[in-house]
Amino acid sequence: TVGTATQGLANYLKKTFEGEQVRVAVAHDSRNNSRLFAERVADIFASNGFQVYLFDDLRPVPELSFTIRELKLHSGVVITASHNPKEYNGYKAYWSDGAQVTPPHDKNIIEEVAKITQNSQVLTGQNPENITILDETFDKRYIDRIKNDIQLSPESVAKYHDMKIVYTPLHGAGVRLVPMALKEFGFSNVFVVPEQAVVDGNFPTVESPNPEERKTMLQAMELGRKECADLVLATDPDADRIGVALRTGTGEYVLLNGNQTLALLLSYQLTRWAERGELDGNQYVIKTIVTSQMANAVAAHFGVKCYDCLTGFKYIAKIIRENEATAKYIGGGEESFGYLAGDYVRDKDAVSACALAAEAAAWAKDTMGLTLYEWLQ
């Protein structure tokens, strides 16, 4: 199945970019067999004569999107089943803008995949020299870009750098980069849930690795109570969705739903952009049609345009692409725990969202003497 999908995609890329040296990236998460499938994808692309950039180990989905844009590649694939149960794995294809494929490419790719009816049509075992391995030095480029593009309140972080933060990667790819991003932003007191920092596609400590579910977050919130943490953060196995739990006045933790998280992060970004004098009427935000109208109200308060789009981050990415030359995207997301701040990535990004949430907590404490929960109220 992986071979058929990859050869079909390769054939479409060869037709679309005829006469060019096609260049692609391949990444994977912690799912069972994800590494095996990712190496298979890289082998098939290389055997088709493509230049392939394969990560040396698991990586967050948004880093794959960043890689396509940063290296000016034609396409990319990430092996992941996101936040679905352990029995699943999946295959996500990306286009040259770093976004998941949209019409007409999706239909055209599937037509090419359907033409692969025999194993002999899948090219393998050729041109291994076409595969370049990406390591932690590339992670640094990604984290530096996050900090450069979305950091808004370094002064507040400097005052509250020792604010207690609990983080769980839920056995997934966020374990590599979320602690690194928090450290790069200036936070020095981050507790990673040790049992859930183990990379394991069986997700032994949870029924389902979905931060939308309170029972999935119980272990992290328990560590939060133990440490009296200001903030509890989580990422799903491919680190594109963010879970946020906030401490109330009674010391309990409330797990935010996706609409609340979006309202909080969007309000923080727009408030700081306004305070820094960076809103000039040429900025916009985006949400999906099934996401709370609170985003529209927040945008209207700041005089910022809010787009509504179809469900799926690829449609958010499409609006960003269409506005690249004329307006500035600030942030946006969807009710299913996905958020993207800045346009250097074209998929939801829980790595940057975790850093942004922590910074918002430090800023609220510094400027208003409020916890994030109190500010949300």
Side-chain angles (χ1 to χ4, degrees):
T1 301
V2 170
T4 299
T6 307
Q7 188 61 56
L9 175 56
N11 289 347
Y12 182 65
L13 289 168
K14 282 189 277 192
K15 286 182 178 180
T16 305
F17 300 106
E18 188 176 1
E20 297 183 41
Q21 168 66 62
V22 178
R23 303 165 70 236
V24 298
V26 181
H28 67 86
D29 69 359
S30 62
R31 297 268 159 180
N32 292 328
N33 292 314
S34 275
R35 184 67 192 178
L36 172 70
F37 296 152
E39 289 176 347
R40 183 64 151 182
V41 172
D43 169 41
I44 293 167
F45 278 147
S47 298
N48 277 273
F50 296 0
Q51 178 62 51
V52 184
Y53 297 89
L54 171 66
F55 281 98
D56 61 355
D57 203 344
L58 79 171
R59 290 300 194 286
V61 158
E63 188 171 8
L64 184 279
S65 175
F66 170 78
T67 303
I68 293 170
R69 295 182 60 77
E70 180 76 359
L71 299 182
K72 296 179 172 56
L73 308 182
H74 296 88
S75 181
V77 167
V78 59
I79 304 296
T80 174
S82 189
H83 57 301
N84 286 292
K86 66 182 179 182
E87 291 80 9
Y88 295 90
N89 212 333
Y91 187 107
K92 292 170 75 171
Y94 288 75
W95 204 244
S96 56
D97 61 344
Q100 290 182 58
V101 292
T102 53
H105 301 307
D106 51 2
K107 180 175 178 288
N108 295 341
I109 291 167
I110 288 300
E111 287 178 357
E112 291 296 331
V113 172
K115 295 175 185 176
I116 309 299
T117 58
Q118 301 177 55
N119 288 343
S120 59
Q121 292 174 269
V122 181
L123 304 182
T124 64
Q126 303 171 43
N127 310 321
E129 69 280 1
N130 286 6
I131 300 175
T132 299
I133 301 297
L134 297 178
D135 58 19
E136 66 275 1
T137 58
F138 200 82
D139 299 339
K140 183 71 165 58
R141 289 168 71 172
Y142 170 53
I143 297 296
D144 285 349
R145 186 64 183 274
I146 289 174
K147 184 179 180 183
N148 182 65
D149 278 28
I150 73 166
Q151 188 175 43
L152 293 166
S153 308
E155 308 84 2
S156 295
V157 174
K159 288 183 186 177
Y160 293 99
H161 65 90
D162 58 350
M163 180 181 73
K164 288 186 177 181
I165 301 167
V166 165
Y167 166 67
T168 175
L170 296 176
H171 304 286
V175 69
R176 292 184 64 102
L177 293 190
V178 173
M180 187 191 302
L182 290 169
K183 182 179 179 181
E184 189 64 29
F185 266 60
F187 295 101
S188 58
N189 209 2
V190 179
F191 299 83
V192 179
V193 179
E195 301 87 347
Q196 296 178 335
V198 178
V199 175
D200 189 338
N202 291 313
F203 311 113
T205 66
V206 293
E207 284 183 29
S208 182
N210 185 352
E212 296 182 52
E213 299 176 13
R214 184 176 175 82
K215 59 185 175 182
T216 300
M217 298 284 289
L218 286 178
Q219 211 158 348
M221 289 191 288
E222 184 55 43
L223 181 58
R225 272 189 288 272
K226 179 182 173 185
E227 298 295 343
C228 295
D230 295 80
L231 190 61
V232 174
L233 300 170
T235 52
D236 67 341
D238 61 345
D240 59 359
R241 284 174 167 80
I242 178 177
V244 179
L246 302 180
R247 192 176 69 197
T248 68
T250 62
E252 292 303 305
Y253 287 83
V254 172
L255 177 61
L256 302 188
N257 62 42
N259 286 318
Q260 291 170 316
T261 299
L262 181 138
L264 201 60
L265 296 180
L266 200 61
S267 296
Y268 170 63
Q269 281 191 286
L270 291 177
T271 299
R272 291 298 290 134
W273 275 64
E275 289 176 346
R276 289 155 57 114
E278 295 172 350
L279 293 181
D280 59 9
N282 200 39
Q283 292 77 30
Y284 66 96
V285 299
I286 311 173
K287 74 171 197 55
T288 60
I289 56 175
V290 295
T291 300
S292 169
Q293 295 292 310
M294 179 64 81
N296 304 73
V298 170
H301 174 79
F302 288 98
V304 170
K305 183 177 177 61
C306 181
Y307 286 91
D308 281 274
C309 68
L310 294 174
T311 303
F313 240 84
K314 61 186 177 182
Y315 296 110
I316 292 177
K318 183 173 183 284
I319 291 173
I320 297 174
R321 182 172 69 247
E322 291 169 349
N323 283 278
E324 268 179 320
T326 57
K328 179 67 176 175
Y329 168 79
I330 295 177
E334 54 192 3
E335 97 299 340
S336 56
F337 286 54
Y339 194 83
L340 174 63
D343 64 358
Y344 56 93
V345 165
R346 297 300 165 88
D347 207 342
K348 47 191 173 289
D349 185 354
V351 179
S352 62
C354 281
L356 193 68
E359 187 182 72
W363 168 81
K365 184 179 282 194
D366 180 32
T367 60
M368 297 176 287
L370 299 176
T371 66
L372 264 191
Y373 182 75
E374 289 167 337
W375 191 50
L376 179 63
Q377 300 306 309

